[in-house]
Amino acid sequence: MPQAEALTGKLSPSLAAQSVISWMMQASQNDGTFARRISRDIMYCYISTGRGDDAEAFSIALDSIKNTLSVEQQAHLFAVSAAPMQLGRMLAADPERDALVPLIEREYSSDSLSLAAFREGLNSESDIH
């Protein structure tokens, strides 16, 4: 992906992470496939060029930046960056579940299929725990 190559070639891992998250905060769920792919491709660019430390720094920076966001902003970020069923499964045991679930359901309110997939993932993992 040319965008991933450009980001890893021109920016430090922390600035690349900031760039990705800034874009995701403005993105819609329609951009979800691209959003999921860009982070994966950035990691691939780092690893495939022998820059494993940069891949780790990018991942740490993403998590660190996410932790500075409000719960509402995190809900939007999650709704854009994860497939609905996967997101439901991830949140099933998350300590922030009670705060995030209603916000994510609001993010999916105009997309009944995504909302149903999110709830299915949430319930399937809840049944296991």
Side-chain angles (χ1 to χ4, degrees), residues 66-81:
K66 178 215 35 122
N67 290 335
T68 68
L69 301 175
S70 70
V71 178
E72 292 82 7
Q73 291 171 316
Q74 287 182 31
H76 177 76
L77 182 68
F78 294 155
V80 170
S81 65

Side-chain angles (χ1 to χ4, degrees), residues 2 18 31 34 42 52 63-64 68 75 80-81 83 96 106 116 125:
Q18 182 63 55
D31 299 314
F34 181 83
I42 288 171
D63 195 49
S64 178
T68 68
V80 170
S81 65
E96 296 292 320
R106 188 176 322 138
E125 291 298 308

Side-chain angles (χ1 to χ4, degrees), residues 112-124:
S112 61
L113 294 176
S114 292
L115 180 59
F118 171 71
R119 287 177 175 162
E120 182 180 340
L122 191 65
N123 292 331
S124 68

Side-chain angles (χ1 to χ4, degrees), residues 81-92:
S81 65
M85 185 166 298
Q86 175 192 21
L87 181 55
R89 289 178 177 153
M90 290 182 340
L91 284 180

Side-chain angles (χ1 to χ4, degrees), residues 25-108:
M25 294 309 301
Q26 305 303 316
S28 74
Q29 292 171 35
N30 295 334
D31 299 314
T33 300
F34 181 83
R36 288 184 288 281
R37 186 171 173 202
I38 187 78
S39 293
R40 183 180 61 234
D41 285 2
I42 288 171
M43 294 293 287
Y44 175 78
C45 284
Y46 284 135
I47 292 168
S48 69
T49 58
R51 296 165 56 197
D53 288 347
D54 284 346
E56 184 177 356
F58 175 75
S59 180
I60 290 168
L62 285 174
D63 195 49
S64 178
I65 295 165
K66 178 215 35 122
N67 290 335
T68 68
L69 301 175
S70 70
V71 178
E72 292 82 7
Q73 291 171 316
Q74 287 182 31
H76 177 76
L77 182 68
F78 294 155
V80 170
S81 65
M85 185 166 298
Q86 175 192 21
L87 181 55
R89 289 178 177 153
M90 290 182 340
L91 284 180
D94 191 290
E96 296 292 320
R97 173 191 169 134
D98 292 342
L100 286 167
V101 168
L103 297 170
I104 291 169
E105 287 177 336
R106 188 176 322 138
E107 290 281 334
Y108 290 140

